[in-house]
């Protein structure tokens, strides 16, 4: 949570916005072309910088609005890959969606070309998806820079061939879906894995972080015993029909929560605010309203902050953090020269 037990209003002071803009697929592909066309105009010029910031802000706004519309669909019909692209635009607003979808199509076509013409083995596509993505292309977990926000941006996962379990898993599921295989995420303790409902192979799971390794339930139990020194007992029912099975919104919440935790640790309130807006479009949780209000306070948007914090308290009159939230509101009222609570 953005508000910890030792919360103090002074902790939410204005933060410095970073002037660095991460490279994205589109910016890298066209960088030389842009420089040749605009050779007479420096990228550091006030005009060029303003235009770029304005375009980026517009694209971020559009992406959030598109995401909100996408999440209005039936959860089972939401395109998970498209949703992930829209989330990635919070950090890479100029990413090329067409290019990313083309890259995904190339992966699907390559797997399709490797499939045998006939097979009576159910779920046989899993073997070929794993072989191509994990061995031929070389997608793998980024254990050297695990908490880099780009690991949660699907465009960067496509470009670098590295990521975290949930974004690698999302890519795997997107390829499988386009091959007619419906898979689902599994919210195992401390580790995201992929399950399926294909008759005959429901006990076969995919470990996205380790080259999309195919694992039996026994393999996964042994892995948890070795890595986490904890006992895990799995069954067909648990990996196909239990609360471990993640819906599309739940997968998106996990991606967003990862990003929110990273940006909170980096004290980048503007980024936490952007991600919290995506969370509010994905789920109905009062704490997201509170956290958005605190982020707005941190970036000195006091009137907007007060509105959300008042909304939070109105919806949660018995909230445990009511005294702390009221303290922030009183500070805002003093700043705005309004009567306190």
């Amino acid at each position: 949570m953005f508000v910890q037990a030792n919360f103090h209003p002074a902790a939410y002071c204005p933060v410095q916005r970073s002037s660095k803009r991460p490279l994205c697929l589109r910016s890298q592909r066209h960088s030389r072309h842009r420089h040749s066309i605009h050779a007479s105009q420096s990228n550091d010029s006030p005009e060029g910088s303003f235009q770029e910031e304005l375009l980026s802000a517009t694209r971020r706004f559009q992406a959030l609005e598109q995401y909100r519309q996408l999440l209005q669909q039936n959860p089972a019909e939401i395109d998970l890959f498209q949703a992930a692209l829209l989330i990635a635009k919070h950090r890479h607003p100029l990413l090329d969606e067409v290019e990313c979808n083309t890259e995904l199509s190339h992966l699907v076509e390559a797997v399709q070309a490797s499939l045998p013409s006939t097979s009576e083995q159910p779920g046989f596509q899993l073997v070929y998806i794993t072989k191509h993505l994990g061995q031929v292309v070389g997608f793998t977990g980024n254990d050297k820079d695990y908490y880099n926000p780009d690991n949660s941006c699907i465009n960067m996962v496509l470009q670098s061939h590295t990521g975290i379990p949930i974004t690698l898993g999302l890519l795997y599921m997107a390829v499988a879906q386009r091959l007619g295989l419906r898979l689902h995420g599994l919210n195992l303790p401390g580790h995201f894995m992929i399950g399926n409902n294909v008759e005959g192979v429901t006990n076969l799971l995919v470990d996205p972080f380790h080259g999309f390794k195919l694992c039996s339930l026994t393999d996964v139990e042994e892995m948890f015993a070795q890595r986490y020194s904890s006992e895990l007992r799995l069954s067909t029912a648990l990996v196909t029909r239990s609360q471990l099975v993640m819906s599309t919104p739940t997968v998106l919440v996990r991606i967003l929560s990862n990003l929110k935790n990273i940006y909170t640790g980096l004290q980048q309130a503007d980024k936490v605010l952007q991600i919290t807006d995506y969370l509010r479009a994905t789920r109905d949780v009062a704490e997201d309203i509170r956290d958005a209000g605190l982020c707005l306070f941190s970036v000195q948007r006091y009137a907007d902050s007060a509105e959300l914090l008042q909304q939070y308290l109105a919806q949660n009159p018995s909230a445990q953090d009511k005294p702390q939230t009221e303290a922030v509101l009183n500070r805002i009222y003093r700043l705005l020269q309004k009567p306190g609570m």
Side-chain angles (χ1 to χ4, degrees):
M1 285 299 178
F2 194 59
V3 177
Q4 305 297 332
N6 60 349
F7 165 88
H8 190 278
Y12 294 89
C13 58
V15 297
Q16 296 295 322
R17 297 172 183 263
S18 173
S19 60
K20 295 181 180 179
R21 178 177 159 277
L23 291 175
C24 59
L25 291 174
R26 185 172 186 175
S27 64
Q28 287 182 324
R29 186 183 62 174
H30 295 301
S31 59
R32 291 185 180 178
H33 184 58
R34 278 206 313 271
H35 288 313
S36 63
I37 293 176
H38 302 292
S40 61
Q41 180 179 325
S42 169
N43 287 339
D44 295 329
S45 68
E47 181 181 355
S49 177
F50 173 76
Q51 291 175 346
E52 184 173 340
E53 286 297 324
L54 181 60
L55 178 60
S56 294
T58 301
R59 294 289 176 83
R60 286 191 186 95
F61 174 81
Q62 292 172 339
L64 179 58
E65 290 303 306
Q66 291 169 2
Y67 182 86
R68 286 181 175 132
Q69 294 175 15
L70 185 64
L71 268 290
Q72 295 302 311
Q73 298 180 13
N74 184 313
E77 298 175 356
I78 295 172
D79 187 328
L80 192 55
F81 185 77
Q82 177 62 23
L85 281 177
L86 293 173
I87 290 173
K89 284 193 172 185
H90 86 276
R91 184 171 177 85
H92 303 282
L94 304 183
L95 73 83
D96 191 333
E97 289 186 50
V98 173
E99 182 174 325
C100 291
N101 278 290
T102 299
E103 180 64 23
L104 176 63
S105 296
H106 288 163
L107 293 173
V108 174
E109 291 165 3
V111 175
Q112 183 75 59
S114 70
L115 297 176
S117 56
T118 58
S119 177
E120 298 180 358
Q121 179 65 35
F124 71 97
Q125 300 99 322
L126 293 174
V127 174
Y128 293 89
I129 299 172
T130 289
K131 181 178 180 180
H132 185 74
L133 296 185
Q135 299 176 25
V136 177
V137 182
F139 282 96
T140 189
N142 189 351
D143 51 4
K144 294 182 180 179
D145 194 14
Y146 191 89
Y147 295 102
N148 188 323
D150 278 343
N151 290 328
S152 296
C153 297
I154 196 66
N155 62 313
M156 299 306 295
V157 174
L158 278 169
Q159 178 177 309
S160 66
H161 297 171
T162 61
I164 54 177
I166 196 160
T167 45
L168 290 167
L170 186 152
L171 178 63
Y172 190 100
M173 290 190 291
V175 171
Q177 182 180 7
R178 285 156 177 78
L179 291 170
L181 206 59
R182 188 78 178 185
L183 308 180
H184 55 257
L186 287 173
N187 189 21
L188 298 181
H191 199 64
F192 176 89
M193 297 194 76
I194 302 171
N196 69 84
N197 286 299
V198 180
E199 186 176 355
V201 291
T202 52
N203 288 348
L204 194 62
L205 307 185
V206 181
D207 183 355
F209 198 70
H210 299 93
F212 301 107
K213 180 182 178 182
L214 297 175
C215 308
S216 67
L217 299 189
T218 301
D219 292 335
V220 177
E221 290 172 350
E222 292 176 352
M223 177 188 72
F224 270 80
Q226 293 173 3
R227 292 184 188 170
Y228 306 109
S229 299
S230 61
E231 184 176 352
L232 180 69
R233 289 289 176 260
L234 297 174
S235 65
T236 301
L238 277 176
V239 299
T240 57
R241 300 186 299 276
S242 74
Q243 292 182 346
L244 294 178
V245 177
M246 302 172 72
S247 65
T248 295
T250 305
V251 172
L252 296 172
V253 165
R254 185 152 170 174
I255 293 173
L256 292 165
S257 296
N258 287 339
L259 283 165
K260 183 178 178 182
N261 289 335
I262 291 170
Y263 289 134
T264 299
L266 295 173
Q267 297 185 6
Q268 295 182 4
D270 54 342
K271 289 297 184 186
V272 178
L273 177 59
Q274 291 171 20
I275 294 304
T276 303
D277 284 340
Y278 276 94
L279 279 168
R280 293 177 65 196
T282 311
R283 64 184 183 182
D284 184 14
V285 176
E287 286 74 15
D288 290 335
I289 299 174
R290 174 202 63 196
D291 290 355
L294 292 172
C295 290
L296 288 166
F297 174 81
S298 183
V299 297
Q300 303 181 58
R301 291 172 55 184
Y302 299 127
D304 293 334
S305 172
E307 181 179 350
L308 287 184
L309 294 178
Q310 288 168 348
Q311 180 182 342
Y312 168 68
L313 290 178
Q315 293 182 9
N316 299 271
S318 301
Q320 290 185 348
D321 60 351
K322 181 178 180 180
Q324 296 95 326
T325 306
E326 288 179 338
V328 178
L329 277 168
N330 282 325
R331 184 173 176 183
I332 292 173
Y333 297 148
R334 288 194 298 271
L335 290 168
L336 298 177
Q337 296 182 342
K338 290 185 176 181
M341 299 188 70

